[in-house]
Amino acid sequence: MEKRTIQIKSRADNRIFINVIPGHFATNHSHINYYIDMTKIKYQLNMAREAGIQMAASYITHPIDTIVCMDGCEIIGGFMARELTKAGHVSVNSDKDIYLVTPEFNSSGQIIFRDNIQQMIWNKNVLLLLASVTTGKTIVRSLECIKYYGGNIAGISAIFSAIPDKENVEIDALFTSKDISDYHSYAFSECPDCKEKRKIDAIVNSYGYSRI
């Protein structure tokens, strides 16, 4: 499957890239025709740093108290916070501290914050950071959770997003469906590959893939 990999570089910085693989893939919410491999951008130090710097640029004028990191984006979130809080920086967050938190999922699949973490959400300006946005269902659940714990939504940032906004909040993404011109997401019942009885290549999520 990896032999079909296509590398796509960021328009903002060609040191940042994602790898995409065409095929038939199943997520928790839909079927998609490309798997987007974000392994290096999330876990390779140099690229995660450059990605964090680029993603922070959109929030220079936004007060940010907390970054909620989903999908293994903690390293990028750390570099975003570092860039936003640089001393002498033009950012409104210069010289302040920013919390970096990751929620838990309980046995019912609900997103929760433990008691010791809730103070980092309550009455704070919260930036939601995700790896990939396909249908936006994870965003809806995440925003509901942040609001439940008293947080104020300061923005949504993603490595890749197939949609421009959700819940009336713009999604600021390094890569969009414009970078993958024929990217499509389908409801299970509407997937053309399924209708043609093409086998699923892999089950995928923001952490990776498992071949079938």
Side-chain angles (χ1 to χ4, degrees), residues 5 8-9 14 24 40 42 53 61 71 96 103 108 125 141 143 155 175-177 180-181:
T5 298
I8 297 178
K9 294 183 178 181
N14 61 17
H24 182 198
K40 288 188 176 180
K42 289 197 294 182
I53 291 171
T61 59
D71 309 329
K96 69 182 284 188
S108 301
N125 296 311
R141 294 173 62 204
L143 295 184
F175 300 90
T176 70
S177 52
I180 311 171
S181 58

Side-chain angles (χ1 to χ4, degrees), residues 26-185:
T27 75
N28 288 335
H29 308 302
S30 64
H31 282 196
I32 53 178
N33 63 334
Y34 280 97
Y35 165 62
I36 302 174
D37 184 359
M38 304 180 185
T39 306
K40 288 188 176 180
I41 197 170
K42 289 197 294 182
Y43 303 121
Q44 189 181 69
L45 179 67
N46 289 338
M47 202 187 311
R49 180 182 63 241
E50 298 306 323
I53 291 171
Q54 287 296 328
M55 296 169 82
S58 298
Y59 299 96
I60 294 298
T61 59
H62 294 62
I64 305 293
D65 300 305
T66 302
I67 301 176
V68 171
C69 303
M70 307 291 288
D71 309 329
C73 286
E74 289 84 356
I75 299 173
I76 291 176
F79 282 117
M80 287 183 73
R82 182 174 181 267
E83 184 69 12
L84 289 170
T85 58
K86 275 186 178 178
H89 202 286
V90 293
S91 170
V92 297
N93 302 289
S94 177
D95 284 331
K96 69 182 284 188
D97 211 351
I98 290 180
Y99 296 112
L100 293 155
V101 301
T102 301
E104 291 183 55
F105 291 83
N106 65 17
S107 57
S108 301
Q110 295 172 311
I111 302 174
I112 63 170
F113 291 102
R114 297 288 179 178
D115 292 1
N116 55 307
I117 301 296
Q118 290 174 18
Q119 61 182 323
M120 302 175 189
I121 304 296
W122 175 259
N123 207 29
K124 298 292 191 297
N125 296 311
V126 180
L127 173 64
L128 178 63
L129 172 61
L130 308 101
S132 180
V133 179
T134 303
T135 63
K137 290 184 178 180
T138 299
I139 286 180
V140 172
R141 294 173 62 204
S142 300
L143 295 184
E144 287 177 349
C145 175
I146 292 168
K147 291 175 183 177
Y148 175 80
Y149 289 105
N152 306 312
I153 307 303
I156 302 172
S157 187
I159 299 171
F160 169 81
S161 181
I163 57 177
D165 57 74
K166 196 68 179 180
E167 300 288 288
N168 297 316
V169 182
E170 181 181 355
I171 301 170
D172 184 73
L174 273 178
F175 300 90
T176 70
S177 52
K178 292 180 181 178
D179 297 295
I180 311 171
S181 58
D182 57 342
Y183 179 92
H184 294 290
S185 171

